[in-house]
Amino acid sequence: MEKYNGIIIFGEMGSGKDTLADMISFYNKDIKKYGLGDIIRSMKPVLRVSPEWNGRERGFYQSVADKLREIDKNILNKYCLSKMFSDYTKEDLKEIKEETEYEDIIHNLKLINGEFLPMIVGGRTYDDYDYWKNIGFMVVGIKTDRNLRMERLIVRDGEEVARKSDPNHNTEKNVADIVEKSDYIVKNDGTLEDLKKEAEKLVESY
Protein backbone atom coordinates (compact mmCIF):
# COMPACT_ATOMS: atom_id res chain seq x y z
CA MET A 1 0.00 0.00 0.00
CA GLU A 2 1.21 3.50 -0.84
CA LYS A 3 2.73 5.43 2.06
CA TYR A 4 1.31 8.93 2.24
CA ASN A 5 2.79 11.99 3.94
CA GLY A 6 -0.58 13.31 5.07
CA ILE A 7 -4.26 13.70 4.18
CA ILE A 8 -6.17 16.51 2.47
CA ILE A 9 -9.97 16.59 2.35
CA PHE A 10 -11.88 18.11 -0.58
CA GLY A 11 -15.63 18.71 -0.59
CA GLU A 12 -18.30 21.20 -1.62
CA MET A 13 -19.96 23.68 0.77
CA GLY A 14 -21.86 21.84 3.47
CA SER A 15 -20.54 18.41 2.54
CA GLY A 16 -19.21 17.71 6.06
CA LYS A 17 -15.46 18.17 5.62
CA ASP A 18 -14.74 19.35 9.16
CA THR A 19 -17.02 16.75 10.70
CA LEU A 20 -15.25 14.01 8.77
CA ALA A 21 -11.86 15.42 9.79
CA ASP A 22 -12.83 15.42 13.47
CA MET A 23 -13.97 11.82 13.21
CA ILE A 24 -10.73 10.78 11.50
CA SER A 25 -8.82 12.50 14.30
CA PHE A 26 -10.83 10.51 16.84
CA TYR A 27 -9.68 7.24 15.30
CA ASN A 28 -6.07 8.35 14.82
CA LYS A 29 -4.66 10.33 17.74
CA ASP A 30 -1.43 11.12 15.83
CA ILE A 31 -3.28 13.46 13.47
CA LYS A 32 -2.84 17.23 13.64
CA LYS A 33 -5.58 19.13 11.79
CA TYR A 34 -5.07 22.22 9.63
CA GLY A 35 -7.58 24.33 7.71
CA LEU A 36 -6.58 25.48 4.25
CA GLY A 37 -8.72 28.56 4.87
CA ASP A 38 -7.26 29.41 8.29
CA ILE A 39 -5.49 32.50 6.99
CA ILE A 40 -8.77 33.60 5.34
CA ARG A 41 -10.81 33.08 8.49
CA SER A 42 -8.36 35.30 10.37
CA MET A 43 -10.05 38.14 8.44
CA LYS A 44 -13.37 37.49 10.21
CA PRO A 45 -13.13 40.59 12.48
CA VAL A 46 -13.34 42.76 9.34
CA LEU A 47 -16.94 41.61 8.89
CA ARG A 48 -17.98 43.23 12.18
CA VAL A 49 -17.30 46.66 10.70
CA SER A 50 -18.36 45.93 7.11
CA PRO A 51 -22.17 46.07 6.83
CA GLU A 52 -21.89 45.80 3.05
CA TRP A 53 -20.97 42.13 3.52
CA ASN A 54 -23.90 41.27 5.79
CA GLY A 55 -25.39 37.98 4.60
CA ARG A 56 -22.54 37.55 2.14
CA GLU A 57 -19.80 36.42 4.50
CA ARG A 58 -18.84 33.43 2.39
CA GLY A 59 -18.52 35.69 -0.64
CA PHE A 60 -16.14 37.89 1.36
CA TYR A 61 -13.92 34.91 2.20
CA GLN A 62 -13.97 33.74 -1.42
CA SER A 63 -12.96 37.21 -2.63
CA VAL A 64 -10.08 37.40 -0.14
CA ALA A 65 -8.87 33.95 -1.21
CA ASP A 66 -9.04 34.93 -4.89
CA LYS A 67 -6.94 38.06 -4.27
CA LEU A 68 -4.33 36.15 -2.29
CA ARG A 69 -4.07 33.54 -5.04
CA GLU A 70 -3.33 36.35 -7.49
CA ILE A 71 -0.11 36.91 -5.55
CA ASP A 72 0.76 33.21 -5.55
CA LYS A 73 -1.61 30.47 -6.66
CA ASN A 74 -0.32 28.26 -3.84
CA ILE A 75 -0.14 30.86 -1.08
CA LEU A 76 -2.84 29.16 1.04
CA ASN A 77 -1.09 25.81 0.60
CA LYS A 78 2.28 27.28 1.54
CA TYR A 79 0.82 28.96 4.63
CA CYS A 80 -0.64 25.62 5.74
CA LEU A 81 2.66 23.84 5.11
CA SER A 82 4.54 26.50 7.07
CA LYS A 83 2.26 25.85 10.06
CA MET A 84 3.18 22.16 9.92
CA PHE A 85 6.88 23.03 9.88
CA SER A 86 6.37 25.38 12.83
CA ASP A 87 4.60 22.67 14.83
CA TYR A 88 7.49 20.24 14.39
CA THR A 89 9.52 20.34 17.60
CA LYS A 90 12.97 19.43 16.30
CA GLU A 91 15.41 21.56 14.32
CA ASP A 92 16.51 19.21 11.55
CA LEU A 93 14.23 20.40 8.74
CA LYS A 94 15.86 21.27 5.45
CA GLU A 95 15.78 24.76 4.00
CA ILE A 96 13.41 24.79 1.01
CA LYS A 97 15.39 25.72 -2.11
CA GLU A 98 13.80 26.70 -5.39
CA GLU A 99 15.69 24.14 -7.48
CA THR A 100 14.80 21.25 -5.13
CA GLU A 101 11.53 22.57 -3.68
CA TYR A 102 9.41 19.43 -3.76
CA GLU A 103 12.26 17.10 -2.79
CA ASP A 104 13.03 19.28 0.24
CA ILE A 105 9.38 19.48 1.27
CA ILE A 106 8.92 15.71 1.02
CA HIS A 107 12.10 15.14 3.04
CA ASN A 108 10.77 17.42 5.78
CA LEU A 109 7.32 15.84 5.76
CA LYS A 110 8.82 12.42 6.36
CA LEU A 111 10.58 13.83 9.42
CA ILE A 112 7.34 15.47 10.59
CA ASN A 113 5.53 12.14 10.19
CA GLY A 114 7.73 10.85 13.00
CA GLU A 115 5.88 13.24 15.34
CA PHE A 116 2.43 13.66 13.85
CA LEU A 117 0.32 13.07 10.75
CA PRO A 118 -0.82 16.34 9.11
CA MET A 119 -4.39 16.50 7.84
CA ILE A 120 -5.73 19.46 5.86
CA VAL A 121 -9.38 20.40 5.53
CA GLY A 122 -10.75 22.55 2.73
CA GLY A 123 -9.01 21.79 -0.54
CA ARG A 124 -10.74 23.74 -3.31
CA THR A 125 -8.80 24.17 -6.54
CA TYR A 126 -6.84 22.10 -9.03
CA ASP A 127 -3.75 23.95 -7.84
CA ASP A 128 -4.48 22.72 -4.30
CA TYR A 129 -4.92 19.20 -5.63
CA ASP A 130 -1.66 19.24 -7.62
CA TYR A 131 0.35 20.81 -4.80
CA TRP A 132 -0.54 18.25 -2.14
CA LYS A 133 -0.62 15.31 -4.53
CA ASN A 134 2.93 16.17 -5.65
CA ILE A 135 4.20 16.04 -2.07
CA GLY A 136 2.59 12.73 -1.28
CA PHE A 137 -0.72 13.53 0.40
CA MET A 138 -3.72 11.22 0.22
CA VAL A 139 -6.60 13.09 -1.42
CA VAL A 140 -9.92 12.35 0.26
CA GLY A 141 -13.16 13.52 -1.34
CA ILE A 142 -16.47 13.78 0.52
CA LYS A 143 -19.71 13.63 -1.48
CA THR A 144 -23.11 14.76 -0.20
CA ASP A 145 -26.47 15.19 -1.92
CA ARG A 146 -26.97 18.81 -3.04
CA ASN A 147 -30.28 19.35 -1.21
CA LEU A 148 -28.86 17.83 1.95
CA ARG A 149 -25.83 20.13 1.74
CA MET A 150 -28.13 23.17 1.56
CA GLU A 151 -30.12 21.97 4.57
CA ARG A 152 -26.91 21.62 6.57
CA LEU A 153 -25.65 25.05 5.47
CA ILE A 154 -28.89 26.65 6.65
CA VAL A 155 -28.54 24.98 10.04
CA ARG A 156 -24.87 25.99 10.31
CA ASP A 157 -24.83 29.50 8.82
CA GLY A 158 -28.45 30.61 8.82
CA GLU A 159 -30.78 30.76 5.83
CA GLU A 160 -29.70 34.18 4.52
CA VAL A 161 -26.00 33.32 4.40
CA ALA A 162 -26.67 29.86 2.95
CA ARG A 163 -28.94 31.19 0.19
CA LYS A 164 -26.44 33.90 -0.77
CA SER A 165 -23.48 31.52 -0.92
CA ASP A 166 -22.22 31.29 -4.48
CA PRO A 167 -22.38 27.68 -5.69
CA ASN A 168 -21.07 28.82 -9.08
CA HIS A 169 -17.82 30.28 -7.73
CA ASN A 170 -14.86 28.77 -9.58
CA THR A 171 -13.67 26.88 -6.50
CA GLU A 172 -17.07 25.25 -6.00
CA LYS A 173 -17.12 24.08 -9.61
CA ASN A 174 -13.60 22.70 -9.38
CA VAL A 175 -14.03 20.86 -6.12
CA ALA A 176 -16.89 18.68 -7.40
CA ASP A 177 -14.64 17.39 -10.19
CA ILE A 178 -11.67 16.93 -7.84
CA VAL A 179 -13.75 14.83 -5.45
CA GLU A 180 -14.39 12.38 -8.28
CA LYS A 181 -10.66 11.83 -8.85
CA SER A 182 -9.73 11.53 -5.18
CA ASP A 183 -7.70 8.62 -3.83
CA TYR A 184 -10.55 7.84 -1.43
CA ILE A 185 -14.20 8.95 -1.62
CA VAL A 186 -16.53 9.16 1.38
CA LYS A 187 -20.30 9.37 0.86
CA ASN A 188 -22.08 11.50 3.45
CA ASP A 189 -25.79 11.16 2.74
CA GLY A 190 -26.65 9.31 5.93
CA THR A 191 -26.43 9.80 9.67
CA LEU A 192 -23.48 10.85 11.83
CA GLU A 193 -23.09 7.21 12.82
CA ASP A 194 -22.80 6.28 9.14
CA LEU A 195 -20.09 8.91 8.70
CA LYS A 196 -18.22 7.62 11.76
CA LYS A 197 -18.08 4.18 10.17
CA GLU A 198 -16.76 5.71 6.95
CA ALA A 199 -14.09 7.60 8.91
CA GLU A 200 -13.04 4.43 10.70
CA LYS A 201 -12.73 2.57 7.39
CA LEU A 202 -10.66 5.40 5.94
CA VAL A 203 -8.23 5.32 8.86
CA GLU A 204 -7.91 1.55 8.54
CA SER A 205 -7.17 1.87 4.80
CA TYR A 206 -4.60 4.62 5.41
Side-chain angles (χ1 to χ4, degrees):
M1 182 179 294
E2 183 174 355
K3 177 72 171 72
Y4 296 102
N5 293 321
I7 297 170
I8 180 167
I9 300 175
F10 283 80
E12 296 176 89
M13 293 184 296
S15 58
K17 297 182 293 296
D18 277 294
T19 303
L20 174 62
D22 290 340
M23 291 177 177
I24 293 171
S25 297
F26 175 81
Y27 288 112
N28 187 330
K29 303 302 183 185
D30 293 329
I31 282 176
K32 190 178 287 285
K33 177 182 166 185
Y34 299 88
L36 204 59
D38 284 351
I39 191 173
I40 307 300
R41 281 186 282 273
S42 71
M43 299 287 290
K44 186 175 181 179
V46 172
L47 294 170
R48 294 185 63 187
V49 294
S50 303
E52 67 272 23
W53 288 102
N54 284 347
R56 297 189 298 121
E57 288 83 356
R58 186 176 291 274
F60 170 78
Y61 292 135
Q62 289 174 331
S63 297
V64 172
D66 286 345
K67 290 300 181 183
L68 286 174
R69 288 190 178 103
E70 287 178 12
I71 300 170
D72 181 335
K73 66 181 182 181
N74 283 314
I75 197 166
L76 303 186
N77 298 316
K78 291 174 180 178
Y79 178 80
C80 215
L81 185 68
S82 73
K83 296 292 288 181
M84 295 173 200
F85 285 13
S86 296
D87 288 340
Y88 181 64
T89 61
K90 298 178 183 176
E91 298 182 356
D92 53 349
L93 296 181
K94 273 188 177 182
E95 177 187 354
I96 308 301
K97 297 181 179 178
E98 186 173 359
E99 61 272 19
T100 55
E101 178 180 0
Y102 284 107
E103 292 90 336
D104 295 339
I105 290 172
I106 290 169
H107 172 85
N108 288 345
L109 284 170
K110 292 190 182 304
L111 293 176
I112 288 170
N113 277 183
E115 283 194 3
F116 60 86
L117 174 66
M119 177 173 62
I120 304 160
V121 183
R124 291 285 177 186
T125 69
Y126 287 115
D127 290 324
D128 298 342
Y129 175 89
D130 290 339
Y131 188 86
W132 296 103
K133 191 73 175 169
N134 286 338
I135 56 177
F137 270 56
M138 178 186 196
V139 178
V140 174
I142 180 168
K143 294 178 66 173
T144 306
D145 174 77
R146 181 177 181 179
N147 292 331
L148 187 54
R149 285 193 292 107
M150 179 55 69
E151 290 175 14
R152 291 172 179 170
L153 282 172
I154 291 172
V155 170
R156 188 187 74 187
D157 300 333
E159 186 162 0
E160 184 180 11
V161 173
R163 299 293 181 195
K164 289 183 178 179
S165 296
D166 183 6
N168 296 313
H169 188 265
N170 61 301
T171 55
E172 290 302 317
K173 290 181 177 179
N174 291 345
V175 75
D177 293 333
I178 293 168
V179 166
E180 294 296 335
K181 55 192 267 186
S182 298
D183 300 309
Y184 193 104
I185 298 177
V186 172
K187 298 201 74 172
N188 184 26
D189 291 335
T191 65
L192 283 175
E193 284 302 316
D194 293 330
L195 188 59
K196 282 182 183 177
K197 292 175 183 175
E198 289 295 323
E200 186 174 15
K201 286 193 293 185
L202 192 160
V203 170
E204 288 173 355
S205 73
Y206 185 92

